[in-house]
Amino acid sequence: MRLRVRYGAGALASKAALAVTLAWGQPATAEQVHILALGDSLTQGYGLLESEGFVPQLRAWLAARGHDVRIVNGGVSGDTTAGGLARVEWSLTPEIDAMIVTLGGNDLLRGIDPAVARGNIEGILKVAQAGELEVLLVGMQAPGNYGPDYKAAFEAIYPELAESYGTLLAGNFFDGLMEDGAAPADLDAFMQADGIHPNEDGVARIVETPGPQVEALIAQASE
């Protein structure tokens, strides 16, 4: 868990509470971990009831495994990596211990230069690094319609930046839906009518794949 420096009356109150705790000799208890999920409509839960989206289903998956965690839904529909970079600093409120970054899908839909997307995601990771935040970076699989060079360059963003910045990595947001190399749009039973966003059942399958990495993120943030 990160140590935070507080000032003013809040700091005095915190110090007083700490002194009382030490005086009573009470054992330390695990604190709730606060995670920001920074992303686009896939994170936000586009087209779903609030309880069906990625964040609440991930929270429930973690709670079922005994984790005391609060996940802030920082998903904005239509957001690109540039949008995520523009809002990451004010989204990281003081209580946040770690961050899940799931961005790039809208960059792919718009054919944005992979170098631009890389720069934006790297900017987000620099903000996290400056704040001493643990990060799970979730990758995206590029379609083949922009050509093999574009596909290779875009998909390389995530593992390369994860290695450079020492973050955890989940290979592809849709890995939980992949069966024998099928694309997400082919799995009609798990997708909404637009063929882009998962339905409730699809989200349930998706959550199971990055779940263990999120558990690792919680462990790192709790150290």
Side-chain angles (χ1 to χ4, degrees), residues 117-144:
R118 175 187 289 267
N120 292 331
I121 294 175
E122 184 168 20
I124 292 169
L125 297 182
K126 286 180 177 179
V127 171
Q129 186 178 66
E132 299 181 352
L133 291 167
E134 303 294 344
V135 175
L136 169 61
L137 184 59
V138 182
M140 287 288 163
Q141 182 174 333

Side-chain angles (χ1 to χ4, degrees), residues 11-67:
L12 293 176
S14 296
K15 290 178 180 178
L18 177 60
V20 170
T21 300
L22 293 176
W24 286 352
Q26 294 177 343
T29 57
E31 294 183 6
Q32 183 181 56
V33 174
H34 299 255
I35 300 174
L36 170 67
L38 186 73
D40 50 32
S41 57
L42 297 174
T43 299
Q44 183 266 334
Y46 175 87
L48 300 172
L49 297 175
E50 183 177 357
S51 62
E52 299 172 349
F54 176 76
V55 168
Q57 289 210 48
L58 176 59
R59 187 188 303 118
W61 189 93
L62 293 167
R65 287 155 181 79
H67 297 287

Side-chain angles (χ1 to χ4, degrees), residues 41-114:
S41 57
L42 297 174
T43 299
Q44 183 266 334
Y46 175 87
L48 300 172
L49 297 175
E50 183 177 357
S51 62
E52 299 172 349
F54 176 76
V55 168
Q57 289 210 48
L58 176 59
R59 187 188 303 118
W61 189 93
L62 293 167
R65 287 155 181 79
H67 297 287
D68 185 13
V69 59
R70 170 177 173 254
I71 306 177
V72 177
N73 192 336
V76 174
S77 292
D79 223 1
T80 61
T81 55
L85 176 59
R87 62 189 173 86
V88 63
E89 290 195 66
W90 59 259
S91 297
L92 289 170
T93 50
E95 76 279 5
I96 297 298
D97 303 301
M99 180 165 55
I100 301 170
V101 179
T102 309
L103 286 164
N106 288 306
D107 296 62
L108 289 171
L109 290 174
R110 301 179 188 188
I112 291 174
D113 187 340

Side-chain angles (χ1 to χ4, degrees), residues 153-193:
F154 201 99
E155 292 179 359
I157 292 171
Y158 302 93
E160 290 177 1
L161 287 181
E163 182 176 1
S164 295
Y165 286 86
T167 77
L168 294 167
L169 175 67
N172 173 21
F173 182 85
F174 287 104
D175 274 346
L177 296 185
M178 298 303 179
E179 295 179 350
D180 300 323
D186 296 330
L187 304 176
D188 293 340
F190 301 104
M191 301 297 292
Q192 297 182 42

Side-chain angles (χ1 to χ4, degrees), residues 181-204:
D186 296 330
L187 304 176
D188 293 340
F190 301 104
M191 301 297 292
Q192 297 182 42
D194 61 9
I196 296 174
H197 298 93
N199 60 25
E200 179 184 6
D201 293 335
V203 173

